[in-house]
Amino acid sequence: MIVEVPLPLRALPVAPRMAEIHASLTRAYADEPFVEVAALAETAALSQLDAESLNATNRMKLYAFGGDDFGQARLVAVLDNLGKGAGGAAVQNLNLMLGLPESRGL
């Protein structure tokens, strides 16, 4: 599954650069075992995304597309909505509530 969020950077009081957006995502998800933020170089080299690349996993991969001259960016997530969806979230949350490793059973 591919989920996309458009960001009209020109609508912000101060438009961030793509490197800043990427750095923010990388910091926010640094300690998350199931979320990976693609490097800007990897993202720039892509000609297409495979919506099924994370099937049967509890993982999600985030991409930040755009350019500093465009005034807009797109944040794109690739995930398996069955694995990373409600079932995976329920197991992950139960693990956290019970003090177990977050990844147990996933």
Side-chain angles (χ1 to χ4, degrees):
M1 171 178 210
I2 294 177
V3 179
E4 187 174 335
V5 177
L7 297 175
L9 302 178
R10 291 184 181 149
L12 299 173
V14 177
R17 302 183 67 73
M18 286 306 298
E20 295 168 323
I21 293 170
H22 183 267
S24 292
L25 288 170
T26 301
R27 277 191 309 274
Y29 293 102
D31 296 327
E32 296 300 325
F34 300 112
V35 180
E36 175 186 357
V37 178
L40 285 175
E42 176 187 355
T43 301
L46 290 172
S47 61
Q48 65 183 15
L49 287 172
D50 180 4
E52 298 178 355
S53 63
L54 296 178
N55 277 5
T57 73
N58 188 51
R59 295 180 47 237
M60 179 171 63
K61 190 163 185 177
L62 299 174
Y63 299 87
F65 291 97
D68 295 330
D69 298 332
F70 300 134
Q72 59 183 333
R74 292 204 179 285
L75 301 182
V76 179
V78 176
L79 64 141
D80 178 355
N81 67 324
L82 297 176
K84 190 67 182 162
V91 171
Q92 200 169 342
N93 286 328
L94 283 171
N95 287 341
L96 291 171
M97 289 179 358
L98 295 172
L100 298 171
E102 189 174 348
S103 60
R104 173 140 327 144
L106 292 173

